[in-house]
Amino acid sequence: MFESGGQAQADLRWILPLQSGETAWLYGAAPALEASLESVGVKVRRLDPANVMPAADHLLAPNIGAREAEMLIGLGKQAIRPGGYVLLGLRNAAFLGGLIGRSSADGTRLPAILRRMKAAEFAPRSVFGVFYSLDEPRFLVSLETRQPARYFWERLYLPPSRFACWKKKLAIFLAGLGQQACLYSAFVLTAQRMQAEC
């Protein structure tokens, strides 16, 4: 669980292996995350896609749409050193909007973005479903297996209404079927730029 409130996005720094003295590109407005990175000694630079120089150790884009993701993945080799990490926060096109909540028109599908990342020579490292929103990621739930999603919906999610109780039952059922990716309005993924082979 991550901190609730306006500072929740700052906790995204914990899912990357950041070290003091490293540099990170930051795409988009994320003042709490920027302050959090600087507090651990990471030098933060604002990413301007028209002028990416020199390469940094990491790239963080905590709240972007599908078009922005494609552009940033395309810049990956230029913007990130080999062995560096990228963190993308994306709206989920496969989210069951009408049943669980609202969906986004600018979403992307997880398998499609993972294929693009592999084609751009990034190895996926982790994928999390975001509960609440990308601006306020109160919970990050691993999507790699069904158990974390089942645990979240069975034990941590407290339904605020009778209708939400039905949503909870549906979410537990879908997680049991291995369809946990469709239960979250957004996801955060991390990937590492592959090292050049000798």
Side-chain angles (χ1 to χ4, degrees), residues 35-197:
S36 177
L37 293 168
E38 290 173 342
S39 74
V40 294
V42 175
K43 296 172 196 144
V44 179
R45 298 184 200 144
R46 293 293 180 142
L47 179 64
D48 175 7
N51 185 19
V52 179
M53 234 175 154
D57 298 296
H58 309 286
L59 186 151
L60 294 89
N63 190 348
I64 57 173
R67 289 184 203 93
E68 293 169 303
E70 288 185 31
M71 179 265 303
L72 291 174
I73 292 169
L75 285 175
K77 284 186 181 179
Q78 184 182 356
I80 305 169
R81 293 185 183 107
Y85 282 80
V86 63
L87 177 146
L88 301 177
L90 298 154
R91 292 174 278 288
N92 187 1
F95 178 54
L96 295 176
L99 298 173
I100 305 293
R102 288 175 275 138
S103 60
S104 170
D106 191 22
T108 188
R109 295 190 180 276
L110 184 56
I113 202 74
L114 292 175
R115 277 192 305 273
R116 286 189 197 104
M117 294 196 87
K118 286 179 183 175
E121 299 179 7
F122 282 90
R125 295 295 180 223
S126 58
V127 181
F128 299 95
V130 176
F131 183 77
Y132 199 60
S133 74
L134 287 170
D135 290 324
E136 198 174 330
R138 294 182 185 173
F139 290 89
L140 294 182
V141 181
S142 175
L143 296 180
E144 292 162 29
T145 64
R146 65 184 80 180
Q147 288 83 4
R150 281 196 64 149
Y151 182 84
F152 171 78
W153 290 101
E154 285 176 350
R155 305 287 171 103
L156 300 177
Y157 176 71
L158 299 174
S161 68
R162 188 172 295 185
F163 179 66
C165 287
W166 287 103
K167 292 193 307 188
K168 176 178 178 170
K169 290 179 183 190
L170 176 61
I172 293 167
F173 175 73
L174 290 171
L177 294 176
Q179 298 299 313
Q180 61 272 13
C182 69
L183 300 175
Y184 303 94
S185 63
F187 52 87
V188 170
L189 63 90
T190 64
Q192 185 177 21
R193 185 175 166 203
M194 295 181 201
Q195 300 274 5
E197 293 188 20

Side-chain angles (χ1 to χ4, degrees), residues 18-35:
L18 300 165
Q19 308 253 339
S20 180
E22 291 183 325
T23 55
W25 290 114
L26 183 61
Y27 182 79
L33 178 58
E34 184 174 355

